[in-house]
Amino acid sequence: MPVADYGVWKAKPVSYTYQTKKDDPVSPHLSLIFTDGRPGQARAAINIKSGDHSDSRLVYWLSRPFENPIVHKLEKLDSGFHLLKGTDEQRLGGVALDYIRGNLFQTQTGRLLPHDIPGEDNDILDVLRPLLDQAISNEATIYVYGSHFNDGKGIHNVHMNQGSPRRWERDNGIYQDGGFILQFKDHWEAVFIGFASQAVHTKDNPPRAGNPIPQNSYKTWADFLDPEVRDEQRMLDELASTPVIINQALVNPLGPDNQPESKRETVSLINRTEQAVDLTGWKVRNKVGQFEELPSGATLLAKESKVFEIPHCPLSNQGGLITLLNAEGLKVHGVSYTKAQTKQEGGVVSFNL
């Protein structure tokens, strides 16, 4: 069954301790101490090594600056823990995190990192410690996602909670991923942590939502981000998984909404490959799950860019998500945009890819 007591905790980070390879070579954690204005302090237990002995590396994504419409909802929360499990926020476009469906980061920017090895900037402690030091010294606000401790004094499962194999499969689910988001005075940053053995694609619907797809021989983050792969092969692999990307969107066209004389919202797609890509059956999805199926027979020639109208997939001027799905329903690419990016009527939103 999915993880229990999933939610987000708004607080101020105070300090942290961590276990080195010498302290705990099997299941080490970083303990982040925080306060939410109530008496006492709480702890976030953050995994810094996978329990999967076949590959104990973590996957680390840093989004800096973090520009996603979820921040508009987060900053309105009161300090303290907010249960999301079973609420209307545990869905596409809600407060809950989903690494695959939420367009929180570009997957190819992830790093596979071990727990604790000699050298600089080459393990998970090397990247987490400076970030947390900065957050504490700048009195940033932190939003920690995961499962509430039974005693109410902390939070764990601060990592991806889907696509897991074998004995961890029981915890798989969608819109229940952990991680933490930092709100500084002038910008936001976000850290997302997964396990190397977790799947890149997972099931959308019951039964077994959040389980790897396909069921056997699925691609893991270790496969997708393997640092041993040569640059040329890495580019070929990336083009195979993401042959088409969303590079622009007209979110706020000139004229009033839903009027015949007004221009329609559009997305611009680019074929990154040297071959034509048949888009028959492909769909564009917005932040509330509405779809626009691309025209039957639509094709992008090699390196071609084309603009598509999406009248059945309205894009919110309050910030949103745009996701491109292939004919099998798998995510090919996804982007997000904020309310601030849509202020100019008729202006095109461009995405840094």
Side-chain angles (χ1 to χ4, degrees), residues 307-322:
V307 175
F308 294 89
E309 293 185 346
I310 50 171
H312 302 104
C313 182
L315 303 177
S316 172
N317 293 348
Q318 304 303 308
L321 311 176
I322 310 173

Side-chain angles (χ1 to χ4, degrees), residues 119-197:
E120 297 181 359
D121 193 35
N122 62 357
D123 62 41
I124 191 67
L125 291 173
D126 289 343
V127 295
L128 286 181
R129 290 172 57 198
L131 183 65
L132 292 174
D133 288 340
Q134 179 191 21
I136 293 168
S137 64
N138 285 275
E139 299 182 348
T141 298
I142 192 168
Y143 301 83
V144 187
Y145 284 84
S147 295
H148 203 225
F149 283 156
N150 290 335
D151 63 7
K153 296 181 180 179
I155 191 168
H156 65 120
N157 286 329
V158 188
H159 50 68
M160 183 173 174
N161 292 305
Q162 59 180 308
S164 297
R166 300 184 298 281
R167 64 185 176 91
W168 298 279
E169 185 179 299
R170 65 181 182 273
D171 292 331
N172 286 336
I174 59 175
Y175 303 108
Q176 59 160 27
D177 287 330
F180 61 89
I181 299 173
L182 296 166
Q183 181 183 8
F184 293 89
K185 292 179 180 179
D186 59 351
H187 72 286
W188 294 68
E189 299 183 12
V191 168
F192 306 105
I193 297 172
F195 301 121
S197 59

Side-chain angles (χ1 to χ4, degrees), residues 247-252 336-338 341-342 347-351:
N247 75 311
Q248 290 183 330
L250 178 59
V251 178
N252 186 10
S336 65
Y337 61 92
T338 63
Q341 291 174 286
T342 70
V348 172
V349 179
S350 296
F351 303 104

Side-chain angles (χ1 to χ4, degrees), residues 96-135:
L97 298 184
D98 191 297
Y99 285 17
I100 295 173
R101 297 158 189 84
N103 298 351
L104 300 165
F105 49 82
Q106 295 300 317
T107 54
Q108 71 273 13
T109 63
R111 297 178 63 188
L112 290 168
L113 293 172
H115 165 218
D116 180 22
I117 60 175
E120 297 181 359
D121 193 35
N122 62 357
D123 62 41
I124 191 67
L125 291 173
D126 289 343
V127 295
L128 286 181
R129 290 172 57 198
L131 183 65
L132 292 174
D133 288 340
Q134 179 191 21

Side-chain angles (χ1 to χ4, degrees), residues 279-332:
L279 301 179
T280 299
W282 289 41
K283 297 177 181 178
V284 175
R285 183 179 68 195
N286 64 15
K287 73 173 183 179
V288 296
Q290 294 168 303
F291 292 94
E292 178 73 41
E293 184 166 342
L294 299 181
S296 179
T299 300
L300 283 176
L301 301 178
K303 302 294 185 179
E304 183 182 19
S305 173
K306 191 176 291 186
V307 175
F308 294 89
E309 293 185 346
I310 50 171
H312 302 104
C313 182
L315 303 177
S316 172
N317 293 348
Q318 304 303 308
L321 311 176
I322 310 173
T323 304
L324 180 65
L325 306 173
N326 66 17
E328 288 73 45
L330 297 180
K331 178 179 174 179
V332 176

Side-chain angles (χ1 to χ4, degrees), residues 29-286:
H29 286 74
L30 182 150
S31 293
L32 175 64
I33 307 302
F34 58 87
T35 179
D36 61 9
R38 294 171 175 80
Q41 296 178 330
R43 178 176 71 95
I46 302 174
N47 292 70
I48 47 178
K49 183 178 181 178
S50 172
D52 190 336
H53 300 304
S54 66
D55 192 337
S56 64
R57 292 174 298 175
L58 298 182
V59 195
Y60 168 82
W61 292 273
L62 171 63
S63 184
R64 176 194 285 161
F66 181 60
E67 297 176 331
N68 187 286
I70 198 172
V71 302
H72 304 313
K73 290 191 172 186
L74 290 177
E75 62 186 349
K76 295 177 182 178
L77 295 177
D78 294 329
S79 295
F81 181 78
H82 299 264
L83 183 68
L84 299 177
K85 186 177 179 66
T87 73
D88 189 50
E89 294 296 343
Q90 198 175 24
R91 59 171 176 80
L92 188 65
V95 172
L97 298 184
D98 191 297
Y99 285 17
I100 295 173
R101 297 158 189 84
N103 298 351
L104 300 165
F105 49 82
Q106 295 300 317
T107 54
Q108 71 273 13
T109 63
R111 297 178 63 188
L112 290 168
L113 293 172
H115 165 218
D116 180 22
I117 60 175
E120 297 181 359
D121 193 35
N122 62 357
D123 62 41
I124 191 67
L125 291 173
D126 289 343
V127 295
L128 286 181
R129 290 172 57 198
L131 183 65
L132 292 174
D133 288 340
Q134 179 191 21
I136 293 168
S137 64
N138 285 275
E139 299 182 348
T141 298
I142 192 168
Y143 301 83
V144 187
Y145 284 84
S147 295
H148 203 225
F149 283 156
N150 290 335
D151 63 7
K153 296 181 180 179
I155 191 168
H156 65 120
N157 286 329
V158 188
H159 50 68
M160 183 173 174
N161 292 305
Q162 59 180 308
S164 297
R166 300 184 298 281
R167 64 185 176 91
W168 298 279
E169 185 179 299
R170 65 181 182 273
D171 292 331
N172 286 336
I174 59 175
Y175 303 108
Q176 59 160 27
D177 287 330
F180 61 89
I181 299 173
L182 296 166
Q183 181 183 8
F184 293 89
K185 292 179 180 179
D186 59 351
H187 72 286
W188 294 68
E189 299 183 12
V191 168
F192 306 105
I193 297 172
F195 301 121
S197 59
Q198 288 176 314
V200 173
H201 295 291
T202 65
K203 285 193 64 177
D204 285 327
N205 302 306
R208 302 162 69 88
N211 274 15
I213 50 175
Q215 186 172 349
N216 299 306
S217 301
Y218 53 84
K219 179 178 286 189
T220 66
W221 292 120
D223 300 325
F224 187 77
L225 297 169
D226 187 355
E228 300 301 321
V229 173
R230 293 183 304 172
D231 290 343
E232 297 84 353
Q233 185 60 49
R234 184 186 306 280
M235 178 57 70
L236 291 174
D237 292 345
E238 186 182 330
L239 289 176
S241 62
T242 313
V244 179
I245 59 173
I246 305 162
N247 75 311
Q248 290 183 330
L250 178 59
V251 178
N252 186 10
L254 293 171
D257 292 341
N258 303 317
Q259 297 300 315
E261 68 276 10
S262 300
K263 289 189 175 182
R264 288 183 169 178
E265 295 166 340
T266 64
V267 295
S268 174
L269 305 180
I270 293 181
N271 178 2
R272 305 168 66 210
T273 75
E274 300 291 346
Q275 296 82 35
V277 176
D278 181 6
L279 301 179
T280 299
W282 289 41
K283 297 177 181 178
V284 175
R285 183 179 68 195
N286 64 15

